[in-house]
Amino acid sequence: MSERGEDGNETMRDRGRLPAGIDTTKPSIARVYDWFLGGKDNFAVDRQVAEAALKVSPGAQEAGRQNRAFLQRVVHHMAAEAGVRQFIDIGSGLPSQGNVHQVAQEIDPAAKVVYVDNDPMVLVHGRALLAPGDTTTVIQADARDPRSILEDERVKDFIDFDEPVGLLMLSILHHLHDDEDPAGVAATLRAPLTSGSFVAVSHFCNPGDAHPVASQQATTAEKLFNDNLGTGRWRTMDEITGYFGDFEPVEPGLVPLPEWRAEPSISVKNALLYHTYYGGLARKP
Ligand SMILES: C[S@@+](CC[C@H](N)C(=O)[O-])C[C@H]1O[C@@H](n2cnc3c(N)ncnc32)[C@H](O)[C@@H]1O
């Protein structure tokens, strides 16, 4: 993929190297997010959406970085402090820096990670770059059909549901429409987890009257995302809290991403962004 030219779209197609199922005429969430993170696995159509988003929400790239930093802190917490040794990462995205398996396997090289995404490009790149083996694998599945994930043979091979699992749903549930029942999806995926398991969620948030200016920006960003990507919901704190079910919140609870056990030195440059992107971790007692 690194051989792609300025117009990556044409270059890849002309060389006939584009893997099956990848549509370069429509933006993809995974590829737009990859652009925000400074990755190269995106096409002109993705960059157009990303650049439009930046005009409305100049903190979008910082938001992506904060989300990745949150991912690393929650995985580190689960692996290092709670001894979790198996993880399911729903809507895992294109491989980036500090992926789940890298954080977890730094604590224990035998830690197991299943990456799940419905974007075919994630499967292709995941298989190439993550060097799947006995400890890491990637499957293509749709979160809107959570049972298909739980019943996948590789998930059954990799994950021992009698032992604690770290279930990650980071920046994925806000890509499910209300009528796709994100709460039901989260509940189905939580259901088989045993005591000592964790659920981590990060999610776009509309803070409502608590932060009216940020709320207005959330509404504008929501429209832009839906017009261009066909998805993106900035939900309320109550809605996001519901995704943890009856799991017990780990301190400090559901908070703006930089507040979740970050080093005090982490600076937050964009105050609006701060109140529109939340994350939390909860544990099954
Ligand atoms: C914004 S990225 C988040 C990546 C990663 N979880 C993170 O937080 O850094 C959202 C990912 O969810 C995936 N996704 C969106 N809808 C999905 C669905 N219905 N099933 C599985 N994956 C989905 C996208 O392809 C994309 O890779």
Side-chain angles (χ1 to χ4, degrees):
M1 291 293 177
S2 57
E3 291 173 50
R4 191 180 314 131
E6 262 310 293
D7 183 355
N9 188 346
E10 290 307 315
T11 308
M12 295 274 304
R13 248 197 316 232
D14 290 348
R15 291 179 185 172
R17 289 193 193 162
L18 202 57
I22 295 174
D23 184 351
T24 62
T25 65
K26 292 193 189 114
S28 118
I29 301 161
R31 299 186 322 234
V32 171
Y33 183 65
D34 174 72
W35 186 88
F36 281 132
L37 293 177
K40 296 197 186 319
D41 300 323
N42 47 71
F43 299 101
V45 68
D46 308 306
R47 295 191 283 274
Q48 278 160 17
V49 172
E51 279 160 12
L54 273 187
K55 285 194 189 121
V56 175
S57 183
Q61 284 166 303
E62 188 188 336
R65 287 193 293 273
Q66 283 180 6
N67 185 54
R68 294 300 296 183
F70 171 76
L71 174 153
Q72 288 151 23
R73 294 196 299 276
V74 288
V75 174
H76 187 270
H77 174 88
M78 288 187 270
E81 293 178 42
V84 176
R85 292 292 178 264
Q86 33 181 12
F87 298 86
I88 307 177
D89 185 3
I90 308 286
S92 52
L94 284 154
S96 178
Q97 307 217 322
N99 299 295
V100 173
H101 74 288
Q102 289 159 328
V103 179
Q105 290 169 5
E106 205 172 357
I107 308 297
D108 181 349
K112 292 197 163 176
V113 178
V114 180
Y115 291 109
V116 182
D117 205 288
N118 69 344
D119 189 315
M121 190 135 153
V122 172
L123 189 76
V124 172
H125 281 228
R127 292 210 167 140
L129 297 181
L130 302 173
D134 294 346
T135 52
T136 309
T137 192
V138 49
I139 66 166
Q140 189 176 351
D142 198 315
R144 292 168 293 189
D145 183 6
R147 274 178 228 290
S148 73
I149 298 173
L150 298 173
E151 284 162 14
D152 186 282
E153 286 307 319
R154 258 154 313 157
V155 173
K156 287 188 194 162
D157 274 357
F158 260 65
I159 302 293
D160 176 357
F161 284 96
D162 291 331
E163 294 292 326
V165 174
L167 172 66
L168 298 147
M169 295 184 284
L170 303 187
S171 299
I172 160 78
L173 294 173
H174 57 223
H175 289 300
L176 301 193
H177 297 290
D178 293 350
D179 62 8
E180 291 170 338
D181 190 19
V185 166
T188 302
L189 292 171
R190 281 194 319 268
L193 305 186
T194 192
S195 171
S197 294
F198 289 86
V199 169
V201 173
S202 62
H203 201 293
F204 293 152
C205 179
N206 188 328
D209 292 343
H211 299 283
V213 181
S215 173
Q216 201 176 23
Q217 179 160 19
T219 305
T220 310
E222 186 168 89
K223 179 164 175 9
L224 181 126
F225 265 63
N226 281 276
D227 288 349
N228 289 280
L229 276 172
T231 145
R233 283 280 287 116
W234 272 249
R235 295 196 167 93
T236 65
M237 290 279 285
D238 282 351
E239 286 173 308
I240 303 168
T241 300
Y243 302 143
F244 297 100
D246 58 1
F247 283 34
E248 291 177 347
V250 172
E251 284 296 318
L254 181 65
V255 290
L257 296 177
E259 276 183 31
W260 205 91
R261 299 185 181 220
E263 297 296 322
S265 60
I266 289 187
S267 72
V268 179
K269 297 190 196 98
N270 190 311
L272 287 179
L273 154 73
Y274 194 79
H275 292 293
T276 54
Y277 212 167
Y278 276 60
L281 180 71
R283 180 181 179 276
K284 183 160 178 166

